């Protein structure tokens, strides 16, 4: 799964959030909802209760955790026999470098794509 998702690294974060937090087979992970695009809040489930939290802060934390996970999976794939081409590896390395440098265009794109995915999947 990670080998395939890393091949499209610039769309990988929202796809990973969707896979983890909106998978019908894992209701225990369904702990985030964005139901109103106009409000600055998002619902997070903690201790079996839904709480409103700052939308931007929470989504940026979510993006950060998924980028960290993708980086770990990428490093593990590089140690093993993988089928990523040099071009795909260069693209992933470029993504990681831009993310580490807090590239505003990259972060804004990740934030927008992740918000859209959350809006489209929240019930």
């Amino acid at each position: 799964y990670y080998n395939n998702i890393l091949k499209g690294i610039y769309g990988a974060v929202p796809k990973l959030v969707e896979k983890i937090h909106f998978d019908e087979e894992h209701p225990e992970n369904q702990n985030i909802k964005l139901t109103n695009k106009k409000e600055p809040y998002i619902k997070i489930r903690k201790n079996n209760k839904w709480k409103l939290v700052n939308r931007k802060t929470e989504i940026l934390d979510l993006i950060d955790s998924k980028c960290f996970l993708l980086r770990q999976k990428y490093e593990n794939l590089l140690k093993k026999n993988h089928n990523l081409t040099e071009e795909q590896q260069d693209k992933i390395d470029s993504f990681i470098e831009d993310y580490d440098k807090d590239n505003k265009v990259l972060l804004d794109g990740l934030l927008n794509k992740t918000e859209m995915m959350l809006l489209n999947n929240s019930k």
Side-chain angles (χ1 to χ4, degrees):
Y1 174 78
Y2 287 100
N3 195 342
N4 286 332
I5 200 168
L6 283 164
K7 289 178 181 177
I9 189 66
Y10 288 92
V13 171
K15 287 179 184 174
L16 188 56
V17 170
E18 182 175 23
K19 174 74 173 157
I20 292 172
H21 293 279
F22 295 96
D23 188 342
E24 295 292 328
E25 294 180 20
H26 295 280
E28 69 276 11
N29 292 341
Q30 295 175 11
N31 58 357
I32 188 167
K33 290 182 183 181
L34 179 57
T35 55
N36 186 333
K37 68 180 180 178
K38 294 181 181 180
E39 294 207 4
Y41 307 106
I42 191 167
K43 291 180 182 179
I44 300 294
R45 188 165 178 88
K46 291 184 182 178
N47 300 323
N48 291 325
K49 292 184 180 181
W50 288 101
K51 296 184 179 190
L52 291 176
V53 296
N54 182 283
R55 174 177 167 171
K56 187 171 182 177
T57 302
E58 195 63 36
I59 293 175
L60 288 173
D61 286 348
L62 188 63
I63 289 169
D64 196 46
S65 71
K66 300 315 177 241
C67 283
F68 180 78
L69 178 60
L70 288 169
R71 183 187 310 231
Q72 285 182 314
K73 297 300 183 181
Y74 176 58
E75 289 170 0
N76 288 340
L77 283 173
L78 291 178
K79 293 176 187 174
K80 298 176 182 177
N81 187 13
H82 60 82
N83 65 350
L84 295 171
T85 65
E86 286 284 328
E87 183 180 338
Q88 289 165 336
Q89 289 178 52
D90 289 344
K91 192 177 281 189
I92 295 167
D93 291 336
S94 177
F95 174 89
I96 291 170
E97 184 178 326
D98 285 346
Y99 188 79
D100 287 346
K101 289 181 179 177
D102 292 328
N103 180 298
K104 183 170 174 32
V105 173
L106 175 65
L107 292 176
D108 286 348
L110 288 173
L111 185 64
N112 288 336
K113 288 176 187 175
T114 303
E115 280 185 340
M116 290 302 292
M117 184 281 308
L118 288 169
L119 281 165
N120 286 327
N121 286 282
S122 295
K123 297 174 182 167

